């Protein structure tokens, strides 16, 4: 969607919020929420936090956020215009038809994620589509620096799987990626970058099994600008295990870089927006809060959804500052924004050390 459309959507949401702010509901445990329909989510939230996420921004929280995207982005108005089924967006199809959709190349590895979440969904009483978006928001709430995300219920679950080919891949070029986002929700170049804020709390598991759970930046447990800073460091070309596409080498040992991230960080259509997130935490939070909501509304009528954002925990505050990891400096930056010089940042003291893989229980 275009930026003006997004601003319009925010205005409508604020108006709706203002209309309901005085209608409070008291849940069985005494919690007060705006909408009584959200009371049932308190138990779901607590179950996820205790038994899945353990109140941590770890591997399970990362995968929950990844699942929200892989489910929602599978929608194509262009296919619908051709008389074909274009997918239902955030409709739960990746879990409902997991045998089909987790076999799609960009979804490899999500079969394990889906099955680990299935018992939680089955006892939650929630629809699958709502559960996927809600669990992703709950998991992200454990990440210091994250915004309080907007999450709603009331989606209609899928009755058929999404078609293959709608989830962007790490070996896609920038034109292909931008075209995919434009088709999915009329997202422009800047809004496409906003989606990639999710990579600040992410790691790869299945692209290269030889370095499983290698993070995309040095702070995978924190939603901050380090991903955008470190992706701008000069790499060493596209490499990887023989036969693996979509991998670029980072100069930070232990760090994994997707080819798609490398290219987006350097393309003249996206480079300046990319660079801006390295040092502007408030903007990072605002844009991710916004794009997460827009993503969760793909394929739905937003006016039919019930806002349950007040069920979510408040994320921990960010206590770090933008910096270069030890062993690298401004001299290692491959600047790509012609409008703004790359900012001067401190470098962590000491010798360079490898970034540890994200722990997996």
């Amino acid at each position: 969607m275009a930026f003006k459309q997004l601003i319009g959507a925010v205005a409508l949401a604020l108006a709706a919020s203002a209309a309901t702010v005085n209608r409070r509901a008291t849940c069985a445990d005494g919690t007060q929420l705006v909408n009584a329909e959200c009371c049932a989510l308190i138990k779901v939230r607590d179950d996820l936090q205790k038994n899945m996420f353990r109140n941590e921004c770890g591997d399970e929280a990362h995968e929950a956020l990844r699942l929200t995207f892989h489910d929602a982005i599978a929608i194509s108005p262009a296919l619908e215009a051709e008389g074909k089924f274009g997918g239902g967006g955030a409709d739960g199809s990746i879990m409902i038809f997991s045998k089909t959709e987790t076999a799609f190349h960009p979804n490899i590895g999500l079969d394990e994620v889906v099955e680990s979440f299935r018992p939680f969904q089955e006892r939650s009483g929630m629809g699958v589509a709502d559960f996927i978006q809600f669990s992703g928001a709950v998991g992200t709430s454990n990440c210091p620096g994250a915004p309080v995300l907007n999450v709603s219920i009331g989606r209609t679950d899928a009755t058929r799987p999404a078609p293959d080919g709608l989830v962007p891949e790490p070996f896609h070029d920038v034109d292909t990626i931008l075209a995919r986002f434009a088709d999915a929700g009329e997202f422009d170049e800047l809004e496409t970058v906003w989606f990639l804020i999710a990579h600040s709390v992410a790691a790869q598991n299945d692209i290269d099994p030889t370095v499983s759970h290698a993070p995309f930046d040095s702070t995978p447990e924190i939603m901050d600008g380090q991903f955008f800073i470190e992706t701008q460091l000069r790499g060493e070309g596209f490499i990887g295990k023989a036969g693996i596409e979509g991998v670029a080498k980072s100069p930070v040992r232990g760090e994994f870089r997707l080819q798609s991230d490398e290219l987006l960080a350097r393309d003249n259509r996206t480079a300046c927006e990319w660079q801006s997130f390295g040092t502007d935490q408030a903007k990072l939070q605002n844009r991710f809060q916004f794009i997460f909501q827009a993503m969760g509304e793909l394929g739905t009528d937003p006016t039919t959804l019930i806002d349950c954002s007040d069920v979510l925990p408040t994320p921990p505050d960010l206590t770090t500052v933008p910096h270069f990891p030890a062993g690298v400096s401004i001299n290692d930056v491959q600047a790509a924004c012609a409008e703004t010089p790359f900012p001067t940042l401190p470098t962590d003291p000491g010798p360079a050390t490898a970034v540890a893989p994200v722990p997996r229980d």
Side-chain angles (χ1 to χ4, degrees), residues 47-48 51-52 116-124 131:
D47 185 24
L48 285 167
N51 300 308
M52 173 60 77
S116 68
F117 276 90
R118 197 178 298 281
F120 291 86
Q121 186 277 319
E122 290 176 345
R123 64 178 178 253
S124 72
F131 176 82

Side-chain angles (χ1 to χ4, degrees), residues 69-87:
F69 173 75
H70 283 247
D71 185 46
I73 202 66
I75 185 170
S76 174
L79 286 178
E80 295 285 350
E82 296 174 3
K84 303 174 184 177
F85 178 59

Side-chain angles (χ1 to χ4, degrees), residues 62-63 65-75 94 98 100-114 162-172 176-177 180-181 199 203-208 216 245-246 258 260:
H62 299 172
E63 294 290 13
L65 184 56
R66 180 187 175 205
L67 194 63
T68 65
F69 173 75
H70 283 247
D71 185 46
I73 202 66
I75 185 170
I94 197 168
S98 58
T100 298
E101 291 197 29
T102 62
F104 298 161
H105 190 263
N107 295 338
I108 291 175
L110 282 175
D111 55 335
E112 295 180 5
V113 177
V114 165
D164 196 1
L166 298 183
V167 180
E169 301 240 35
F171 58 81
H172 284 161
T176 301
I177 292 170
R180 177 79 280 275
F181 279 93
H199 281 187
Q204 78 85 31
N205 296 340
D206 303 286
I207 297 173
D208 187 344
F216 294 156
E245 295 181 281
L258 300 180
S260 52

Side-chain angles (χ1 to χ4, degrees), residues 19-30:
T20 60
V21 71
N22 294 322
R23 292 193 287 109
R24 308 294 293 182
T26 301
C27 305
D29 67 349

Side-chain angles (χ1 to χ4, degrees), residues 24-349:
R24 308 294 293 182
T26 301
C27 305
D29 67 349
T31 300
Q32 286 197 329
L33 301 175
V34 171
N35 294 299
E37 295 91 335
C38 304
C39 288
L41 303 189
I42 295 174
K43 184 177 180 179
V44 182
R45 176 200 66 196
D46 293 346
D47 185 24
L48 285 167
Q49 287 288 67
K50 179 181 178 181
N51 300 308
M52 173 60 77
F53 302 130
R54 292 171 294 284
N55 298 296
E56 296 176 352
C57 183
D59 185 60
E60 293 82 4
H62 299 172
E63 294 290 13
L65 184 56
R66 180 187 175 205
L67 194 63
T68 65
F69 173 75
H70 283 247
D71 185 46
I73 202 66
I75 185 170
S76 174
L79 286 178
E80 295 285 350
E82 296 174 3
K84 303 174 184 177
F85 178 59
D91 63 355
S93 64
I94 197 168
M95 181 176 283
I96 298 169
F97 300 99
S98 58
K99 290 184 178 179
T100 298
E101 291 197 29
T102 62
F104 298 161
H105 190 263
N107 295 338
I108 291 175
L110 282 175
D111 55 335
E112 295 180 5
V113 177
V114 165
E115 292 312 311
S116 68
F117 276 90
R118 197 178 298 281
F120 291 86
Q121 186 277 319
E122 290 176 345
R123 64 178 178 253
S124 72
M126 299 179 69
V128 179
D130 287 339
F131 176 82
I132 288 175
Q133 297 300 315
F134 182 70
S135 61
V138 172
T140 303
S141 74
N142 296 316
C143 304
V148 176
L149 295 176
N150 299 313
V151 69
S152 302
I153 59 174
R155 297 170 184 80
T156 300
D157 281 351
T159 58
R160 58 193 294 191
D164 196 1
L166 298 183
V167 180
E169 301 240 35
F171 58 81
H172 284 161
D173 60 30
V174 174
D175 286 344
T176 301
I177 292 170
L178 295 181
R180 177 79 280 275
F181 279 93
D183 176 32
E186 297 184 12
F187 299 110
D188 65 20
E189 294 90 343
L190 302 187
E191 292 155 1
T192 298
V193 176
W194 301 355
F195 277 94
L196 275 301
I197 295 171
H199 281 187
S200 70
V201 285
Q204 78 85 31
N205 296 340
D206 303 286
I207 297 173
D208 187 344
T210 67
V211 286
S212 181
H213 294 82
F216 294 156
D217 74 352
S218 60
T219 58
E221 74 288 354
I222 302 173
M223 183 170 280
D224 60 4
Q226 287 305 124
F227 165 71
F228 294 96
I229 293 169
E230 294 165 30
T231 309
Q232 208 70 60
L233 296 172
R234 188 174 289 101
E236 299 181 24
F238 302 129
I239 65 168
K241 184 181 176 183
I244 293 178
E245 295 181 281
V247 180
K249 187 175 181 181
S250 168
V252 180
R253 286 190 296 128
E255 199 168 278
F256 196 88
R257 183 180 297 178
L258 300 180
Q259 175 179 318
S260 52
D261 290 339
E262 168 108 353
L263 296 176
L264 284 163
R266 290 157 176 79
D267 190 275
N268 59 14
R269 292 164 290 184
T270 50
C272 289
E273 187 72 0
W274 191 280
Q275 179 178 297
S276 72
F277 288 124
T279 55
D280 194 338
Q281 183 69 17
K283 177 181 176 181
L284 182 149
Q285 291 177 324
N286 174 270
R287 301 303 191 267
F288 191 67
Q289 181 187 58
F290 187 76
I291 211 69
F292 183 86
Q293 179 177 356
M295 176 186 69
E297 293 175 353
L298 289 174
T300 73
D301 177 358
T303 65
T304 66
L305 300 179
I306 300 169
D307 183 9
C308 291
S309 305
D310 50 357
V311 175
L312 296 173
T314 300
D317 291 334
L318 184 67
T319 58
T320 58
V321 297
H323 61 276
F324 292 118
V328 296
S329 70
I330 189 69
N331 295 327
D332 298 293
V333 170
Q334 185 178 10
C337 176
E339 301 172 10
T340 308
F342 198 88
T344 300
L345 304 172
T347 295
D348 282 351

